[in-house]
Amino acid sequence: MKVIIAEKPSVAREIAKVFGAVNKKDGYIEGKGYTFTWAFGHLLQLAAPQEYGYYGWNVQNLPMLPTKFKLSIRKVKTKDGMVDDPSVKKQLDIIKALFDEATEIIVATDAGREGELIFRYIYYYLKCKKPFKRLWISSQTDEAIKEGFRNLKPGSDYDTLFNSAHCRSQSDWLVGMNATQALSLSSGNRAVLSLGRVQTPTLAMICSRYLENKNFVPQTYYQVAIQPDKEGQAFRAISPENYKTREEAQAVLDKVEDVAGGFPAGGHILSVEAKPRKEPPPLLHDLSSLQQEANKRKGFTADQTLGLLQNLYESKLVTYPRTGSRYIGDDVFAGVPVLIEKFKDHPDFGKQATLLIDQKLNKRSVNAKKVTDHHAILPTGEMPNQLSKDHQAIYDMVSGRMLEAFHQECIKEITKIVVQSGDKFTASGTVIGSAGWRAVFNDPDEEKKDEENAALPKVQQGENLPVINKAILEKQTKPKPLYNEASLLKGLETAGKEIDDEELRYAMKDSGLGTPATRASIIETLIKRTYIIREKKNLVPTETGLNVYNVVKDQKIAQAELTGTWEKRLEEIRSGASINEFQEEIKAYTRNITQELLKVGIPKKVIAEPAGN
DNA sequence: GCAAGGTC
């Protein structure tokens, strides 16, 4: 009997379907001489410190450097503390029984570092010795699965990938556990002050933005606006310069030849320029972009959106949610017309879906090379009934985005009019010529600046118009806004893009900080520690958060670069470099940061209070 | 009591 193990039930079901296996059992599917089983993500984790004999939180234990790491069953929190997750224990027992029967194992966990780790941890924990082969596919269509099975790889081909994954895991444990205990202990052990490779740079981003925003000194500047009128249709034109003083602006204002000043037609049209601009449709959603949109449209937190999306996925209404790709391959694209057709009677999108059926679809989101372990989020074509309001909102964002992504470009006409009245003034306006993809949601165009006119009257060069109004506008420079969940998610994705070191920047280019699957929980962790709070839509540090930031802000652990350095080394390990050197460096760093943090500490008040304004 | 990673 051959046993196929997938990372999650949905993938095991897909593969079983391709084989025509239909015999559903508790925790696996059987048929055609194969057995298809699954994990639920990581079933095993590196064991907690006490399992190596480091009892309690104690300076004498630090740094904790286990000579050999142990694995333990994933835990859940109960009223009696942390216990083995019973559903995980049960599934592990099922896997063990199947592995015991197996002649060969086929590893079908996701094609990536963590997918490899998920399987290997199970395999080694169960002390399994059976031979295994690796299925390596990046698309789960029937054809891709069949092709993958014709091309199974020797399991040992991925030993170095496992090494890099295990190093990642151990390094996070060593640095995180030790730094957390060290800072908590040196601060009086009154609260858990956690630190980690991802959470601490994230906290640092929030704090430094908060301080920058709070300490920002606004500068006042002045502009002059005039209002020419074309046969009853007035529009606004602005001085192209910003003036530092009111006097400078006043001088410009005084020269304006307005009606009140005795000029019946003192606005001379110097030029009119109209340029079309094509705006391509947005890409399909990945988890992060959907979380950002749901935060902007509905105020959902990243965690809420992930939860709602997971429910939709479990109801088979949308494809796999924790994806980091905004593209689909040609195989999935082939099914898109059928998918679009399903929305032709939709109350909001029906008209656009019907329109799209007869159109050539835009292929901007189709690129197999940019599909990583999972493709972009799509509706499955399964039609929902009776969704809750929030589920419906998320479902509509997924399906609406699909219609947008395959729609035509939006064509805008951008008009610029230069008017002379004393000095020169410019008026600009944007008119949508052909809505294209923008017809799906019909949202107001967020790019538009507040000085812009929606539509400008038709005027000709050489015309002289009455200027019916003029004014000095007093404005202030604005600081960068505080982070909210949407902008923070974006910031985490792009973290590392400004690193000076080219190699580190390259190592982080596809990852940023955290992963799509973990970013929501990183934000929740910072809130749980009372490092940050939600204030309206913003994420604002507390006193505790700022204290922690002040202690660590110049340490490596607070920099996104740390992830870059690790990623670079982990990639070298994947391509065959020795793990010993990296492990020794991590241990040295762990000793170092532990010692530093034991020295400093946060003297008083660790109970959170919202930071003052 | 603690990391980051994955998922029901």
Side-chain angles (χ1 to χ4, degrees):
Chain A
M1 181 185 71
K2 288 185 182 182
V3 176
I4 290 135
I5 180 164
E7 181 155 328
K8 42 190 168 270
S10 64
V11 174
R13 278 195 298 266
E14 280 303 313
I15 299 173
K17 200 181 76 192
V18 171
F19 276 76
V22 289
N23 204 351
K24 290 190 181 160
K25 304 280 188 174
D26 190 9
Y28 63 100
I29 301 168
E30 234 176 24
K32 312 278 175 178
Y34 290 86
T35 303
F36 305 85
T37 189
W38 52 78
F40 306 115
H42 277 297
L43 303 183
L44 297 156
Q45 55 192 168
L46 297 181
Q50 65 267 23
E51 300 192 40
Y52 309 95
Y54 305 119
Y55 298 109
W57 288 40
N58 192 332
V59 178
Q60 264 78 61
N61 288 336
L62 301 186
M64 304 174 286
L65 303 166
T67 41
K68 198 169 186 327
F69 276 93
K70 297 177 186 178
L71 295 172
S72 75
I73 294 176
R74 184 212 296 165
K75 302 292 184 281
V76 278
K77 212 171 199 157
T78 66
K79 55 183 188 323
D80 306 320
M82 304 298 271
V83 299
D84 288 356
D85 183 328
S87 68
V88 168
K89 178 81 177 65
K90 182 180 167 196
Q91 189 64 16
L92 262 179
D93 287 341
I94 290 166
I95 295 169
K96 179 167 175 43
L98 294 173
F99 279 8
D100 284 345
E101 297 277 306
T103 52
E104 183 179 86
I105 295 163
I106 296 168
V107 184
T109 48
D110 290 357
R113 198 165 73 195
E114 293 304 322
E116 191 63 29
L117 193 63
I118 286 170
F119 166 71
R120 298 283 183 129
Y121 275 180
I122 295 170
Y123 186 80
Y124 298 130
Y125 181 81
L126 296 177
K127 300 191 166 62
C128 184
K129 303 285 181 229
K130 301 282 168 76
F132 61 91
K133 286 197 177 127
R134 187 69 161 96
L135 175 75
W136 194 266
I137 53 173
S138 62
S139 156
Q140 271 131 37
T141 58
D142 294 7
E143 195 36 56
I145 292 169
K146 285 179 197 160
E147 179 61 26
F149 270 91
R150 285 193 287 269
N151 272 304
L152 290 175
K153 311 282 186 211
S156 59
D157 279 10
Y158 297 88
D159 287 353
T160 58
L161 182 62
F162 163 66
N163 290 341
S164 83
H166 193 32
C167 275
R168 196 280 306 147
S169 180
Q170 292 172 336
S171 306
D172 276 324
W173 191 105
L174 287 169
V175 172
M177 295 291 188
N178 282 293
T180 297
Q181 287 200 14
L183 182 64
S184 304
L185 287 169
S186 69
S187 302
N189 206 8
R190 285 159 294 188
V192 174
L193 297 177
S194 66
L195 298 172
R197 171 180 58 87
V198 177
Q199 63 171 265
T200 305
T202 306
L203 175 67
M205 284 167 64
I206 296 169
C207 289
S208 87
R209 177 64 66 83
Y210 170 80
L211 294 171
E212 184 187 334
N213 182 285
K214 201 181 105 181
N215 298 328
F216 183 82
V217 182
Q219 306 284 329
T220 303
Y221 66 94
Y222 303 88
Q223 289 179 322
V224 178
I226 63 168
Q227 210 174 19
D229 181 277
K230 164 84 181 186
E231 292 160 5
Q233 211 184 335
F235 59 96
R236 189 153 93 144
I238 308 268
S239 55
E241 254 186 272
N242 297 336
Y243 305 104
K244 284 218 174 76
T245 65
R246 183 172 278 275
E247 290 67 37
E248 286 172 86
Q250 187 66 45
V252 174
L253 188 80
D254 290 343
K255 285 191 283 177
V256 173
E257 301 172 352
D258 62 332
V259 176
F263 298 92
H268 316 292
I269 306 296
L270 293 185
S271 66
V272 180
E273 197 180 288
K275 267 191 276 184
R277 207 182 97 204
K278 290 180 186 168
E279 203 184 5
L283 293 170
L284 290 166
H285 276 308
D286 63 8
L287 175 61
S288 183
S289 69
L290 186 68
Q291 285 169 320
Q292 290 168 51
E293 181 166 323
N295 183 251
K296 285 183 203 154
R297 281 181 193 269
K298 293 280 169 185
F300 294 165
T301 67
D303 203 42
Q304 284 169 329
T305 299
L306 176 55
L308 291 164
L309 202 57
Q310 174 71 17
N311 298 148
L312 293 172
Y313 167 66
E314 284 166 24
S315 313
K316 303 195 169 53
L317 295 172
V318 302
T319 58
Y320 178 75
R322 288 175 219 85
T323 174
S325 174
R326 302 188 64 177
Y327 296 87
I328 57 174
D330 298 277
D331 46 3
V332 178
F333 180 65
V336 166
V338 179
L339 225 47
I340 289 174
E341 188 145 3
K342 303 241 181 190
F343 289 87
K344 69 181 196 303
D345 297 319
H346 189 281
D348 301 323
F349 306 140
K351 209 174 135 210
Q352 293 305 316
T354 309
L355 196 76
L356 267 184
I357 293 170
D358 302 316
Q359 270 180 21
K360 190 170 184 307
L361 297 182
N362 193 308
K363 290 185 77 172
R364 184 164 181 244
S365 287
V366 184
N367 186 342
K369 286 193 197 117
K370 292 192 177 177
V371 175
T372 42
D373 336 7
H374 305 278
H375 62 65
I377 306 171
L378 285 174
T380 55
E382 199 86 25
M383 282 293 121
N385 50 9
Q386 290 299 323
L387 290 179
S388 78
K389 203 165 125 266
D390 290 352
H391 286 102
Q392 186 71 46
I394 294 291
Y395 183 75
D396 285 348
M397 280 181 230
V398 172
S399 42
R401 174 51 61 89
M402 171 183 72
L403 298 177
E404 288 183 320
F406 297 110
H407 218 300
Q408 290 181 335
E409 295 166 323
C410 167
I411 300 172
K412 292 175 173 176
E413 193 168 79
I414 298 174
T415 308
K416 194 174 149 197
I417 301 175
V418 180
V419 193
Q420 184 157 33
S421 190
D423 273 352
K424 288 178 190 168
F425 296 83
T426 41
S428 55
T430 304
V431 179
I432 290 184
S434 158
W437 63 270
R438 282 193 177 275
V440 175
F441 282 104
N442 241 325
D443 283 335
D445 190 348
E446 58 179 55
E447 279 190 289
K448 202 153 71 190
K449 299 177 194 81
D450 53 351
E451 299 101 59
E452 264 190 20
N453 298 275
L456 289 169
K458 288 267 173 244
V459 297
Q460 307 278 328
Q461 185 181 345
E463 267 190 274
N464 296 310
L465 303 177
V467 175
I468 58 171
N469 220 337
K470 62 176 182 178
I472 293 179
L473 310 176
E474 185 179 314
K475 297 196 170 174
Q476 296 211 306
T477 55
K478 291 198 185 96
K480 278 192 191 165
L482 298 170
Y483 276 116
N484 56 38
E485 298 222 10
S487 57
L488 182 65
L489 286 170
K490 181 102 211 130
L492 292 175
E493 267 185 289
T494 55
K497 292 279 191 287
E498 299 95 45
I499 295 176
D500 292 334
D501 186 314
E502 193 188 332
E503 286 187 341
L504 300 192
R505 194 171 62 237
Y506 180 79
M508 274 187 89
K509 75 176 169 49
D510 296 322
S511 56
L513 273 177
T515 71
T518 59
R519 285 183 191 128
S521 69
I522 295 288
I523 299 175
E524 297 305 317
T525 297
L526 295 177
I527 290 172
K528 197 165 130 199
R529 302 269 175 272
T530 67
Y531 285 172
I532 63 171
I533 52 166
R534 293 195 174 92
E535 213 173 72
K536 291 176 194 155
K537 273 190 155 190
N538 292 327
L539 297 172
V540 176
T542 62
E543 183 104 36
T544 308
L546 288 168
N547 282 334
V548 171
Y549 171 67
N550 275 324
V551 167
V552 299
K553 65 174 185 247
D554 298 323
Q555 300 267 3
K556 271 193 222 158
I557 198 170
Q559 324 291 332
E561 277 91 333
L562 183 64
T563 293
T565 323
W566 288 20
E567 286 300 337
K568 178 170 170 274
R569 299 301 297 274
L570 292 171
E571 178 51 29
E572 287 164 3
I573 290 168
R574 193 203 58 78
S575 48
S578 140
I579 57 173
N580 286 340
E581 201 182 321
F582 182 62
Q583 283 179 329
E584 285 309 316
E585 281 172 30
I586 292 294
K587 278 187 207 162
Y589 176 61
T590 299
R591 287 190 194 95
N592 181 290
I593 180 106
T594 304
Q595 204 174 32
E596 291 291 317
L597 291 168
L598 282 174
K599 272 193 283 191
V600 287
I602 296 169
K604 42 178 188 163
K605 231 170 40 177
V606 286
I607 304 301
E609 275 169 2
N613 294 312

